[in-house]
Each structure stands twice: as structure tokens, then as C-alpha cells.
Amino acid sequence: MDNIVLIGFMGSGKTGVGRELARLLSIPFYDMDEMLEQEAGMPVSEIFRLEGEEGFRKRESSLLTRLVRDKSGNASAAVYSTGGGIVTRKENIPLLKKLGTVVLFKVSPGTVMERVGNDASRPMLAGSGREKRVRELMQLRTPMYLACADIVLAWTDIQKRRTRCGQRLCCRNMAACNRQHGGFHMNKILVINGPNLNFLGIRETKVYGTESYNTLIQKIQKKAGELGLEAECWQSNHEGAIIDKLQEAYYDKSLIGVVINPGAYTHYSYAIHDALKSVFVTKVEVHISDIQSREAFRSISVTAPACDLQIYGHGLDGYLEAMEYIGKTAADAARK
């Protein structure tokens, strides 16, 4: 198992999520800011006051260099939480990659202000104009974060309770990856959309709504980031192509689930039913409309029996519910 290195802006949840992830994996957790405070015998804010940001960054780079040097001598992997500005030194980026798999926790300025905007101990937020300072720093650092990250996880500005739940689920999914694959890999959900789904927002808007297919993809990718998962979105108007895609999925060892909206094939494609039964992961059939309240033929699904769950009538949110179900199922299985 490789080290897991968490990067991101202040208030992105690196420490809290890192501790939980380390606990689930039964490996050590190290907060680099705390390590620097122990070495210096003073808090980070005092280091900044006495030595300035440049002095602190030198200490930070020195510690990172030592951690990389000592990596081969460590018997077990660990989770490392880094300071928000560690990427501002170019020489640190290759060192972070050498230390382990780099995971970026991406947050919005609003989330940062809500979490740490009034924390006077944060040296980079000293003085007035804190929100402007946060936005400027994030604009400066985001390209550096992205250049360094192997994996990007995005937390969204939803209710605090739901955000915390999402982070806990993310921890369980990351832990599951390590246990099942012997290393830190993203678990993947394959989202398959059948005929006419590419015409969302155009076709029968009174039934399917006005949101476009691109909007659906954006929602799916956003949810994947919240859950700590990878999502592949794929669409075809052809039955054989859908079968080929499902057969390809059989060989994808990173796959934990399939979300499928077979469109009209739902009601008569036994070939897609058979292909679904050949893929041994959690499968959820999704329909945007309430198929039970429409034409009689739509109430019959020959593909649903090959799936673990069917969700219908919840609009585009049905896809997100399916992803949550798959993520939870994978995390629960890893704990058994």
C-alpha cells in the first residue's frame, strides 16, 4: 500500500478526513503542520510571525524532503495531511508525488469562509479582507494543486450535515479501494444511457424536463467527487453497442457498479438483460420519468430483474441516488 498524501486549501477537510481514513485503514496519520510545530516548539502562527512565510516554507520543504528520503525505511504506509500552501514551492510538487498518491480536496471560497473564515490563528487570513484574500489565494494555488494531484475530490456547498456524511462515505470508499486492490485506486461507476437520452432537454420536456444531457453529466461528475468515486458516462442509441460496453465492463477490475438507463430497450431487450447478468458488480436501473404511471408497455422492464435496484420518477436525481447506493454498498462490503 502506498502513502496517501492529502493536499488542498485551508478548511478543505484534509485533517478530519485524513484521520478517519487512517483509522479505517489501520495506518498512521501525520499532519505536517503539527509535525512542524513539534520541531519548532511553537505554533504555526508564531513561526510565521518570527520567520515570515518564507521561513515557514523552508521548514515545510525540509520536512517534506526528509519524509520522502525516509519513505523506503518505513514498514507501513501512512496518511499525510499537508499545509494549504505546500504547492507554492515548485520543488515540492515532485516530492509530494514521490511521497505517495496525491489526493486533492477541492472546495469553494464560500466553504472555506464558512469553516475557517473567523479563525484568527490562520496566518494567511490575518487582517481584514479575508474573503478577498481567500479568493486570490485559491485562484493562485488551484493550478498548482491540479498539477500535483493524482486524484481530485470535490466537496460542494451543500448542507453541513450532508457534507460530513459525504466525507465519511468518501473515507469508506477510499479505504475499500486499499483493502480490495492493495493500493489506492479510484473506484469507478459506469453510467450507461440508452437511446434518445442524448436528447434530454429537447425530447418531451413535459415528461423528461428541460435540463440537457450535458447537465446530467455535470451532476454525475459532481456527485462522484463528493463520494470519492470516479464516474464514466457513456451513451449510445444502438443496442449492440450497449451490450459491447457491458461486456467490456466485465474486464474492468476498478469497477464497483453500473448505473443504466436503457431507454426504450428497457421493455424488450433480453440481450441487454443477459449482458447485465454477466457483470458481477452492483447494478441500478434508472428512469427519469415515473414509468408506472405512463403507457402500459412502459411499466414492464425486462432489464430490471438483472439489476439490484430500480429507481424511477425521481428526475435526474435518480442517477445520483443510484450512485449513493452503489458507493454505500461497496463501502459496506469492504467492512465485512
Side-chain angles (χ1 to χ4, degrees), residues 306-319:
C307 297
D308 301 276
L309 179 69
Q310 185 190 56
I311 298 173
Y312 57 85
H314 294 184
L316 301 191
D317 286 347
Y319 288 86

Side-chain angles (χ1 to χ4, degrees), residues 137-325:
L137 285 173
M138 290 187 77
Q139 185 176 8
L140 175 68
R141 293 178 183 178
T142 295
M144 303 172 189
Y145 289 139
L146 294 174
C148 186
D150 297 305
I151 296 167
V152 179
L153 302 180
W155 306 133
T156 59
D157 289 325
I158 55 179
Q159 297 175 4
K160 285 184 179 180
R161 179 181 62 80
R162 291 189 62 190
T163 301
R164 288 197 296 270
C165 289
Q167 290 180 348
R168 285 194 294 269
L169 182 56
C170 169
C171 286
R172 293 199 295 270
N173 285 326
M174 288 194 288
C177 290
N178 275 276
R179 293 193 183 109
Q180 292 173 357
H181 302 294
F184 187 76
H185 303 284
M186 286 294 283
N187 275 351
K188 187 169 81 175
I189 294 176
L190 172 62
V191 182
I192 295 178
N193 278 299
N196 296 309
L197 270 300
N198 56 317
F199 258 40
L200 278 177
I202 300 172
R203 170 192 173 219
E204 295 183 88
T205 55
K206 289 183 179 180
V207 175
Y208 299 105
T210 58
E211 293 183 292
S212 68
Y213 182 66
N214 285 337
T215 298
L216 172 61
I217 293 175
Q218 291 169 8
K219 286 176 178 281
I220 289 170
Q221 295 298 348
K222 185 177 181 180
K223 173 58 71 173
E226 293 170 11
L227 297 176
L229 300 173
E230 178 186 348
E232 178 187 353
C233 298
W234 184 90
Q235 189 273 333
S236 176
N237 295 318
H238 305 285
E239 183 180 24
I242 295 172
I243 294 167
D244 288 343
K245 190 65 177 177
L246 285 167
Q247 290 184 358
E248 287 176 15
Y250 171 83
Y251 298 99
D252 189 343
K253 300 307 179 184
S254 68
L255 194 69
I256 62 167
V258 173
V259 178
I260 184 167
N261 183 341
Y265 290 132
T266 299
H267 315 298
Y268 64 89
S269 180
Y270 289 98
I272 291 178
H273 166 278
D274 291 346
L276 280 164
K277 292 197 74 171
S278 300
V279 183
F280 304 110
V281 294
T282 304
K283 291 155 290 190
V284 182
E285 180 176 291
V286 171
H287 297 283
I288 297 169
S289 67
D290 182 355
I291 58 175
Q292 297 299 325
S293 65
R294 299 181 64 192
E295 303 97 322
F297 78 89
R298 294 190 191 275
S299 65
I300 299 171
S301 173
V302 301
T303 50
C307 297
D308 301 276
L309 179 69
Q310 185 190 56
I311 298 173
Y312 57 85
H314 294 184
L316 301 191
D317 286 347
Y319 288 86
L320 312 186
E321 294 169 19
M323 294 172 68
E324 288 178 348
Y325 176 82

